[in-house]
Amino acid sequence: MPMLKIFVGTMYGGALDVAEQIAPLFEAAGYETAILEQPTLEDLTEERPDLALFCVSTTGSGDFPGNFVPFARGLDEQSPALVGLRYGLIALGDSSYGDTFCGAGRRLDEMLEDLGATRLGERLEIDAMETFMADDAALPWAEEWIETQQLTVA
């Protein structure tokens, strides 16, 4: 059974809630899933998943949440080759912050791409100013992502 790892970067639990709501969709599509609340670079490099999904909220001035900083720092400092890694990305933010809206997700996307990873489909950006419950936007996106990227293995 292929493995999907969901890497979570969250400050108040919104991104974790999205991950927990989405995981059953991938289980139904034939994946073994793991939600990583304290992700490490080794979770990605030493036991590379068949598919990765990043659910990352943005804090402050476009920063990564505290639980995600060690992972992002590892990516930046170690620059592991991620050629062959397929991933999706859900970025959570607040458009009232202007230029830094979804800054952590956008920065992570650039980092992964620079290391050779391939994003499947478009990045989902969820605006807290427009969507009260992030999973209201994330669930339909994940269903469509599974379908359009032909990710079903069951």
Side-chain angles (χ1 to χ4, degrees):
M1 183 177 288
M3 169 59 80
L4 165 75
K5 289 186 179 178
I6 305 176
F7 295 79
V8 177
T10 191
M11 182 65 84
Y12 301 111
L16 177 59
D17 182 54
V18 166
E20 290 172 342
Q21 296 294 320
I22 284 177
L25 297 176
F26 284 93
E27 290 163 2
Y31 288 83
E32 179 180 344
T33 62
I35 297 173
L36 306 168
E37 295 179 55
Q38 297 291 326
T40 65
L41 187 56
E42 291 73 28
D43 291 326
L44 186 63
T45 57
E46 290 180 13
E47 293 179 30
R48 182 171 291 183
D50 298 285
L51 185 63
L53 180 62
F54 296 88
C55 294
V56 182
S57 60
T58 298
T59 65
S61 300
D63 301 320
F64 290 109
N67 76 306
F68 204 78
V69 168
F71 177 85
R73 187 177 297 130
L75 273 180
D76 196 38
E77 293 172 355
Q78 296 179 33
S79 299
L82 298 179
V83 174
L85 175 70
R86 301 175 318 141
Y87 73 94
L89 199 144
I90 299 173
L92 290 80
D94 184 328
S95 62
S96 69
Y97 283 84
D99 291 345
T100 61
F101 170 65
C102 287
R106 291 174 181 177
R107 198 159 95 230
L108 176 63
D109 209 2
E110 286 177 18
M111 294 167 77
L112 293 167
E113 186 179 298
D114 288 347
L115 295 170
T118 302
R119 186 184 71 232
L120 301 178
E122 296 298 316
R123 172 180 64 234
L124 174 63
E125 294 185 351
I126 301 174
D127 184 358
M129 294 295 287
E130 295 178 5
T131 307
F132 179 68
M133 298 295 291
D135 53 333
D136 287 346
L139 285 167
W141 175 88
E143 289 171 344
E144 183 178 324
W145 192 58
I146 290 168
E147 184 179 326
T148 60
Q149 298 302 316
Q150 300 175 351
L151 299 175
T152 301
V153 293

